[in-house]
Amino acid sequence: MAKPHYGQLVIGPPGSGKTTYCSEMAQMLKQVFGRKLAIVNLDPANENLPFTPDIDVREAVSVEDVMELENLGPNGALVFAIEQLERDIDWLFGKISALDEDCYIIFDCPGQIELYTHHRSFDRICKRLIKKFDFRLACVHLVDSYYCSDPATFISVVLASLSAMLCMGLPHLNVLSKVDLIEKLGKLDFDLAYYTEVTDLDFLLDRLEEQPYGRKLAKLSKAICEVIQDFSLVGFLPMSIKDRETMYHVAKNVDRITGYSASELEERKVRQTMANIPTAAPEFDYSLISNVQEKYIRQETDETS
């Protein structure tokens, strides 16, 4: 019986750090975990990659070519390209079949959020991959942490995260990326745990109503928050690609939700390399959140006290 394939689908809006995450996570899984790994670029618009992908969708279809041939803008061309990939799925099947059977795969996906919230081609591609190769995939949804600095934008990205979770129907991990820059655009209204757990958005509504446009949209914002809280599915892990501890916790949580079972050799290698970090990582690790809070959010307070 063939072994299942394991991997990550890395999604998120433009600028959330998906491609950089794929590069850094691949290096960590190779060097720290000792995994055999491949990166698949599934973004037909990806340019200036910091790595050489093992499979590159641009060999089959690129946004640049679609724009020229079909006279489409960038967004329309990207949707067209993903639909073309769905039609030519055997090309992708052939490329994946050529990889080693026990290869862990990271998929760098497009940045157009509509592909994961209501357009169905990408969802169908994933389902066919799962059926063909018995993939155990996790959807890693990156959200730039600076959105936490504004109530309206944070509510919107939480809603987008919820929509992607429901539409993709895969084991899902939401990640606040670039957490080391979280207060670059302004101080947070609450501690980091408030944003990672997403437990009570009413406090954000109070902040939102203090703003002129917030009062105009008060009823709509309240309705959106009620939908989010009724599902109670969204939470976030904080991460910085510069912080190995946060990357480690993301990797271990992805393994947990996909059911990946590390070999004894891999566990030994991880313990040797990451001796100061616990081997277990629950979904909401309060010590991790506390460490991130102290490192990146209270620096200015500590320096001025």
Side-chain angles (χ1 to χ4, degrees), residues 56-118:
D56 192 345
V57 71
R58 294 174 300 176
E59 295 176 9
V61 59
S62 73
V63 163
E64 185 177 352
D65 290 342
V66 171
M67 289 174 64
E68 182 178 347
L69 293 173
E70 302 295 332
N71 195 27
L72 293 171
N75 291 340
L78 181 55
V79 171
F80 184 99
I82 294 301
E83 291 173 346
Q84 184 64 44
L85 177 62
E86 182 186 3
R87 290 189 287 269
D88 295 338
I89 194 70
D90 287 340
W91 174 86
L92 183 59
F93 287 171
K95 291 288 188 179
I96 293 176
S97 296
L99 298 174
D100 291 340
E101 188 180 63
D102 58 347
C103 195
Y104 188 94
I105 302 178
I106 296 178
F107 295 89
D108 187 6
C109 301
Q112 194 163 340
I113 196 66
E114 295 88 346
L115 293 172
Y116 319 112
T117 56
H118 59 272

Side-chain angles (χ1 to χ4, degrees), residues 25-285:
M25 180 58 73
Q27 289 301 314
M28 181 175 180
L29 290 176
K30 287 178 183 177
Q31 296 170 4
V32 176
F33 290 69
R35 289 187 195 172
K36 190 180 297 183
L37 188 138
I39 303 180
V40 177
N41 174 39
L42 281 186
D43 185 355
N46 227 342
E47 298 178 353
N48 303 318
L49 292 172
F51 54 83
T52 301
D54 298 272
I55 300 172
D56 192 345
V57 71
R58 294 174 300 176
E59 295 176 9
V61 59
S62 73
V63 163
E64 185 177 352
D65 290 342
V66 171
M67 289 174 64
E68 182 178 347
L69 293 173
E70 302 295 332
N71 195 27
L72 293 171
N75 291 340
L78 181 55
V79 171
F80 184 99
I82 294 301
E83 291 173 346
Q84 184 64 44
L85 177 62
E86 182 186 3
R87 290 189 287 269
D88 295 338
I89 194 70
D90 287 340
W91 174 86
L92 183 59
F93 287 171
K95 291 288 188 179
I96 293 176
S97 296
L99 298 174
D100 291 340
E101 188 180 63
D102 58 347
C103 195
Y104 188 94
I105 302 178
I106 296 178
F107 295 89
D108 187 6
C109 301
Q112 194 163 340
I113 196 66
E114 295 88 346
L115 293 172
Y116 319 112
T117 56
H118 59 272
H119 193 271
R120 306 311 301 173
S121 280
F122 204 86
D123 175 51
R124 289 192 291 266
I125 290 170
C126 293
K127 285 181 169 57
R128 293 180 69 180
L129 281 171
I130 291 169
K131 183 177 181 180
K132 176 73 173 178
F133 297 101
D134 190 20
F135 255 114
R136 313 293 168 84
L137 285 172
C139 198
V140 179
H141 184 200
L142 300 189
V143 172
D144 196 319
S145 62
Y146 81 80
Y147 287 124
C148 296
S149 63
D150 180 76
T153 54
F154 182 71
I155 291 170
S156 70
V157 298
V158 172
L159 182 61
S161 300
L162 175 60
S163 181
M165 292 173 73
L166 297 177
C167 290
M168 293 296 291
L170 292 171
H172 202 100
L173 187 68
N174 295 305
V175 175
L176 286 176
S177 63
K178 306 179 186 178
V179 74
D180 53 308
L181 304 175
I182 193 169
E183 287 194 332
K184 188 175 182 180
L185 297 182
K187 299 289 289 183
L188 298 182
D189 291 320
F190 306 100
D191 282 348
L192 181 62
Y194 177 83
Y195 300 94
T196 57
E197 295 179 52
V198 195
T199 52
D200 191 347
L201 295 177
D202 288 342
F203 294 112
L204 279 184
L205 287 176
D206 293 339
R207 294 289 193 275
L208 189 59
E209 290 178 7
E210 294 172 1
Q211 303 170 2
Y213 67 89
R215 289 193 293 271
K216 295 179 182 178
L217 301 174
K219 289 184 178 180
L220 176 61
S221 300
K222 183 174 177 59
I224 290 173
C225 290
E226 287 174 353
V227 169
I228 293 169
Q229 293 177 156
D230 284 347
F231 279 94
S232 292
L233 292 175
V234 182
F236 294 93
L237 271 179
M239 185 204 72
S240 166
I241 61 167
K242 299 177 181 179
D243 189 324
R244 177 168 280 189
E245 180 184 4
T246 63
M247 292 286 287
Y248 169 83
H249 277 77
V250 171
K252 292 298 288 183
N253 272 278
V254 171
D255 286 351
R256 176 180 58 81
I257 63 178
T258 57
Y260 180 88
S261 180
S263 66
E264 184 178 342
L265 179 62
E266 180 177 319
E267 289 287 3
R268 191 183 311 123
K269 183 175 177 61
V270 171
R271 284 196 296 270
Q272 291 171 349
T273 311
M274 311 290 286
N276 62 327
I277 297 177
T279 56
E283 184 172 1
F284 293 109
D285 189 310

Side-chain angles (χ1 to χ4, degrees), residues 4-22:
H5 284 71
Y6 290 87
Q8 308 178 21
L9 284 166
V10 184
I11 70 171
S16 57
K18 296 184 299 299
T19 297
T20 305
Y21 167 88
C22 290

